[in-house]
Amino acid sequence: AIEGQVNIATSPQQPGSAIKPIVYAAALEQGWNPGTVVLDAPFRMETPGAEDPITGEDIPFYEPQNYSRTFNGAVTVRSALANSLNIPAVKAAQFVGGPEAVIEIARRMGMKNELAQNPEDYGVSIALGSGDVWPLELTAAYATFANMGKYVPPTPILKITDSEGRVLYELDRKGALAEADQAVRPEIAYQITSILTDNQARSLVFGTNNLFGNTQASLGRPVAAKSGTTNDVRDVWTMGFASDVAIGVWVGNTRNDPLQ
């Protein structure tokens, strides 16, 4: 009906684990650090009154699982984020007081649209990507980490010239960064970046010979990267940044069908 005329960059999509760096940034603001130890163990939370939105059946408990369906015991925040462990991320959302704190830092980092439901609708599952976001704005949040915590609003206009080639407008990148709001403290942006560039920390689940680590090695400089996948593989994300560029990639079906 729409003949493909939809801009995915500004359409709501569930981010899956790609939201986790924002969740951990909120936890670092409230006192955690990359060495903080979190227990990756079976976790169950009562959810009175919750219903499955499709079947209408009662959901008495929220019981998240790791992607591997295994548990790793006591792990550091560095290891938990680098290996995208689900249960420590949920505990990080618990630690900061729930979804409100996650949404608040996400707003500061550039996620101005979406995440618009009542925070209670998301619960602590917001740490695993239960809230829709725009790919453009999630990429802007990763760029905020790259900018040492400063949020620079995205702009598609780099330069305007007239028919004679005279420059009528050109984006002042350094000026935009100098005037940008400090969305998160520089040391927190540095710590998250350190984790997302740490291929050794990623090895628990992904091994050392993984695509993110190989990309970093081939470029010969630090590259931060994080993946995300939603239920039934409806959304697949790769988010990343170096010192001069942030890139967000979403793959999926516009009808929200599972991928093959």
Side-chain angles (χ1 to χ4, degrees), residues 115-188:
L115 293 177
Q117 294 174 228
N118 187 321
E120 293 181 0
D121 292 345
Y122 304 121
V124 291
S125 68
I126 196 171
L128 307 183
S130 63
D132 291 342
V133 301
W134 285 5
L136 174 66
E137 293 189 336
L138 184 59
T139 307
Y142 276 75
T144 301
F145 288 129
N147 287 330
M148 293 304 290
K150 287 192 171 186
Y151 167 64
V152 180
T155 174
I157 308 297
L158 302 181
K159 182 190 287 188
I160 301 171
T161 60
D162 64 14
S163 59
E164 301 297 323
R166 290 185 290 263
V167 176
L168 305 179
Y169 166 83
E170 186 166 8
L171 179 65
D172 178 7
R173 292 173 181 269
K174 291 184 179 180
L177 185 58
E179 297 174 5
D181 293 333
Q182 191 74 50
V184 297
R185 299 198 305 274
E187 61 269 26
I188 290 173

Side-chain angles (χ1 to χ4, degrees), residues 13-14 230-231 234-235 250 252-259:
Q13 313 293 335
Q14 285 201 338
T230 61
N231 289 351
R234 295 176 188 274
D235 309 88
W250 173 90
N253 290 312
T254 51
R255 294 181 303 187
N256 201 35
D257 295 338
L259 294 173

Side-chain angles (χ1 to χ4, degrees), residues 12-248:
Q13 313 293 335
Q14 285 201 338
S17 293
I19 199 71
K20 287 176 181 172
I22 288 89
V23 177
Y24 280 105
L28 295 182
E29 281 192 335
Q30 295 196 30
W32 279 12
N33 63 69
T36 297
V37 174
V38 187
L39 191 61
D40 179 31
F43 172 88
R44 173 183 279 193
M45 173 184 287
E46 291 188 2
T47 53
E51 292 184 353
D52 186 298
I54 297 175
T55 65
E57 296 178 355
D58 290 341
I59 304 176
F61 301 105
Y62 177 57
E63 200 165 8
Q65 300 288 327
N66 288 320
Y67 180 77
S68 62
R69 299 283 171 172
T70 60
F71 306 100
N72 299 278
V75 295
T76 64
V77 165
R78 177 176 293 274
S79 181
L81 175 53
N83 292 284
S84 202
L85 303 178
N86 285 340
I87 294 165
V90 169
K91 290 183 175 179
Q94 267 191 318
F95 171 74
V96 300
E100 295 91 344
V102 176
I103 293 170
E104 193 273 332
I105 192 172
R107 291 271 183 267
R108 281 188 271 139
M109 296 182 69
M111 297 160 76
K112 310 295 185 183
N113 294 280
E114 302 310 325
L115 293 177
Q117 294 174 228
N118 187 321
E120 293 181 0
D121 292 345
Y122 304 121
V124 291
S125 68
I126 196 171
L128 307 183
S130 63
D132 291 342
V133 301
W134 285 5
L136 174 66
E137 293 189 336
L138 184 59
T139 307
Y142 276 75
T144 301
F145 288 129
N147 287 330
M148 293 304 290
K150 287 192 171 186
Y151 167 64
V152 180
T155 174
I157 308 297
L158 302 181
K159 182 190 287 188
I160 301 171
T161 60
D162 64 14
S163 59
E164 301 297 323
R166 290 185 290 263
V167 176
L168 305 179
Y169 166 83
E170 186 166 8
L171 179 65
D172 178 7
R173 292 173 181 269
K174 291 184 179 180
L177 185 58
E179 297 174 5
D181 293 333
Q182 191 74 50
V184 297
R185 299 198 305 274
E187 61 269 26
I188 290 173
Y190 175 85
Q191 289 173 327
I192 295 293
T193 300
S194 172
I195 294 170
L196 297 183
T197 56
D198 189 342
N199 196 49
Q200 191 61 43
R202 203 180 280 132
S203 64
L204 176 68
V205 170
F206 301 106
T208 54
N209 186 29
N210 59 75
L211 288 173
F212 290 164
N214 293 342
T215 298
Q216 180 165 283
S218 66
L219 292 177
R221 61 185 176 128
V223 178
K226 183 74 189 75
S227 60
T229 309
T230 61
N231 289 351
D232 302 320
V233 199
R234 295 176 188 274
D235 309 88
V236 177
W237 299 76
T238 300
M239 312 298 297
F241 59 88
S243 57
D244 59 341
V245 63
I247 298 174

